[in-house]
Amino acid sequence: MTTVETPGLELRTDLLTRVAQAHDASHYLLRPEVVVRAHDRDGVVAAMREATRRGLPVTFRSGGTSLSGQASGAGVLVDTRTRFTRVEVLDGGERVRCEPGATLRLVNAHLLRHGRRLGPDPASEIACTIGGVVANNSSGMSSGTARTAYRTVEAMTVVLASGTVVDTGAPDADARLRAAEPAIHRGLAELRDRVRGSAAARAEIERQFSMKNTMGYSVNAFLDHDEPVKILEHLLVGSEGTLGWVADVTFRTVPLLAHAATTLLVLDSLEHATDALVPLVASGAEAIELLDAASLRVAAADPAADPSMRSLASGAGIRRQTALLVEYRAATPEGLAPFQEAARDVVGSLAGSLAVPAAVTTDAATRERLWRVRKGLYTAVAGARPAGSTALLEDVAVPVADLTATVRDLGALFERRGYGDAVTFGHAKDGNLHFMITPRLGDRAELDRYAAFSDDLVDLVLGHGGTLKAEHGTGRIMAPFVRRQYGDELYAVMREVKRLLDPHGLLNPGVVLTDDDHEHLRNLKVESSAGGDDAALVDRCVECGYCEPGCPSRTVTTTPRQRIALLKEMAAAPPAERRELERQYAYQGVATCAADSLCVEACPVGIDTGVVMKGHRARSQPRLVQRGGAAAAEHWGPVVTGLRAALGVVQGLPTPLVRVASDVARGVVGTDVVPRVDADLPGPGPRRGTTAVVPDGGATSARAVLF
């Protein structure tokens, strides 16, 4: 069986679809048995019920930009992106209702004319979807802990593992939940009382969630909400598809602060940088991004970065320097002015610690150059990684008071475990750090080294009172360590939540909670090369998925990310599997690519998949056809004249004779080269004139040519 259409959904079991859909932005790889493209909510319900009947695990996939292994699964993979992209603006933009397949950029585009935006602002907004934002409890550079998905969600439609649909925004939602799922309603109420009755549990929840924290389940819901239906709603946020599926969600939006002032502070030491956080926060900074010395070296090598960053390349103290990229925002220029003044005062007070002079700027071009490096650090380092290595980006958070010691200890850990080229950056205002290492996960010795590094990292972060996941979601990578972070009492609460809402354990098993202490070391995606002519063009791909929203074929066959992943899979596949993939790839990958190169506009490492596919098309043609195409392109005028003449001749010949002749030619030369001629073929049009037509009183120099 390859494709089966049933009411509400489409089932695909062909090899190419399963291999392509297995890939996401993480360093994990599990191949599904079947891929389901649901047409509507009822289709998802049907898929979940059938999977339960067959005992198959279910994973929901939306944008696939998650980095920690939460969107890959064996069993049934449900595509909840393609048919779920509706956005409805409510109350003049004060609220917005979205389906899970809508990207953040799309939702914010709907809100733009209302002067509003979503609270979460992850750097992947071009491709990440509402489904992933809710599943991971996304935040971002300026959302802090107050504008996360958890804090701004107002209502949602939830599909539980049983197939029950719950609208948490209905006036009688709690009564409906009690009637439809009495055990869940009762169980959540009992857990609420149990948590609130334990002073230790309350204190630990308050400590854990005073930071950005996406580790484990959102058990703070038991303190923040009273009704079981609202507790359920907020438990779903950050649950990564392990407790149910969110069919739509309504958010409260935040004001769009369109006017900004930015400054880059390059300080002579880490201590001076973290000391500066107190006056910067007090001055009203919206975002404060930290870049360590390794990050600054990447910035200095970027020719498109601001000159203030490029000048660091020759600085003798760059190994000690730490930068803070600071931005202030307001709704109006008048509202921004006080922030600019406060910022100048802070910059002036730091003059003795600055490695290079700093200025506060509102110039859009300068601000873009400053932010370019911070937003592109992940892909800049990942794109330049050694062949065969994996770009592994992680995030942690610690109390801001522990930030200096944590960065120092991380640097020492990188050196001790052989990751001296790691870069560290993040949202300093929140004590939230990201770091990237590039291990070779296919090498046994390097895998052992990475395992030891992971254990040391857990000790380090928890030793500083931090959380092992701040905004990227628990996934598979930190699931074995949830119990250690929260302790036995709260871990038992999380286990009971999972049992209540997923009694068969089929929703995304191995993610968030696991009994396997080595879950983070299993099902790893080992980087391989596409080989041949493609290697130099595509091997830098990090499978981020930024290319997908603008791809014309994304809902028909494959996307640029999948085309590249399939090239690598074919290069490494056993002979029989490779032959089957190549057979399908000719159409699913090559023939259906629009070759418009829109993908390179979104690709952070500059891969043009359209050029790669055009290369495949050229190499698939006989040498004679290739030469003929080149000759035609070089002599297009005479070719057009000849074609017009041929159309005139064909019109005068009997249709059956012309049809047979064209079929013979197509069989010899190729169906992509010779069109099939039939009675509906039009005759030659009139010869086009060469004189430009300019309206009376119009400009004499053309600004556009219309065909």
Side-chain angles (χ1 to χ4, degrees), residues 54-74:
R54 299 189 181 206
L56 292 172
V58 177
T59 301
F60 305 107
R61 168 72 64 77
S62 190
T65 62
S66 297
L67 297 166
S68 302
Q70 52 266 67
S72 294

Side-chain angles (χ1 to χ4, degrees), residues 97-426:
R97 182 182 296 123
C98 327
E99 289 188 326
T103 64
L104 253 71
R105 178 167 288 187
L106 175 65
V107 177
N108 283 333
H110 279 270
L111 292 169
L112 180 62
R113 69 188 181 93
H114 301 283
R116 309 288 292 183
R117 69 171 179 87
L118 291 173
D121 62 336
S124 57
E125 54 91 25
I126 185 176
C128 70
T129 59
I130 293 299
V133 165
V134 174
N136 293 330
N137 187 19
S138 292
S139 49
M141 285 181 278
S142 65
S143 61
T145 56
R147 289 179 290 195
T148 62
Y150 178 94
R151 294 297 178 191
T152 58
V153 68
E154 184 174 272
M156 61 176 65
T157 302
V158 180
V159 178
L160 300 177
S162 62
T164 298
V165 178
V166 180
D167 177 4
T168 70
D172 57 346
D174 197 63
R176 290 187 185 185
L177 177 63
R178 184 190 298 111
E181 296 282 356
I184 290 176
H185 188 278
R186 182 174 59 254
L188 291 176
E190 290 172 354
L191 285 173
R192 174 199 62 203
D193 296 341
R194 174 171 149 190
V195 168
R196 293 181 178 185
S198 168
R202 288 201 315 272
E204 185 61 14
I205 288 174
E206 288 167 357
R207 185 189 73 81
Q208 293 270 359
F209 291 94
S210 65
M211 304 173 282
K212 271 186 172 182
N213 184 4
T214 59
M215 187 74 166
Y217 290 130
S218 301
V219 289
N220 48 331
F222 291 113
L223 300 185
D224 295 338
H225 300 278
D226 297 324
E227 289 186 331
V229 74
K230 282 297 175 182
I231 293 172
L232 170 66
E233 173 186 278
H234 284 79
L235 282 170
L236 263 290
V237 180
S239 65
E240 302 174 22
T242 64
L243 302 179
W245 177 63
V246 178
D248 64 60
V249 59
T250 302
F251 288 107
R252 295 181 302 278
T253 63
V254 301
L256 175 64
L257 305 177
H259 297 271
T262 308
T263 184
L264 177 71
L265 307 176
V266 182
L267 294 118
D268 54 17
S269 69
L270 172 63
E271 287 82 3
H272 283 147
T274 51
D275 287 347
L277 291 176
V278 174
L280 286 169
V281 171
S283 68
E286 179 84 359
I288 307 174
E289 296 294 297
L290 180 143
L291 295 88
D292 73 347
S295 302
L296 291 176
R297 288 194 290 274
V298 174
D302 187 344
D306 192 71
S308 61
M309 287 183 167
R310 296 203 305 274
S311 66
L312 298 172
S314 58
I318 194 169
R319 291 189 176 276
R320 299 187 302 275
Q321 291 166 358
T322 301
L324 297 175
L325 183 58
V326 186
E327 184 154 283
Y328 300 81
R329 285 192 166 272
T332 64
E334 295 75 21
L336 186 63
F339 290 122
Q340 291 176 269
E341 190 61 37
R344 292 189 190 99
D345 290 343
V346 175
V347 172
S349 70
L350 298 173
S353 304
L354 292 175
V356 296
V360 181
T361 180
T362 58
D363 177 67
T366 304
R367 290 182 49 253
E368 193 280 330
R369 289 195 299 269
L370 290 172
W371 277 105
R372 170 189 167 87
V373 173
R374 166 58 187 90
K375 291 183 176 181
L377 265 176
Y378 167 62
T379 48
V381 177
R385 70 193 186 279
S389 64
T390 295
L392 200 159
L393 181 70
E394 262 301 6
D395 82 307
V396 300
V398 295
V400 175
D402 280 72
L403 189 61
T404 302
T406 302
V407 175
R408 287 255 182 245
D409 291 348
L410 271 176
L413 175 57
F414 295 146
E415 292 293 337
R416 187 167 71 252
R417 290 301 181 186
Y419 299 124
D421 57 350
V423 295
T424 302
F425 52 96

Side-chain angles (χ1 to χ4, degrees), residues 541-558:
C541 178
V542 293
E543 299 189 37
C544 63
Y546 288 16
C547 56
E548 292 189 332
C551 176
S553 65
R554 67 188 181 279
T555 62
V556 181
T557 51
T558 53

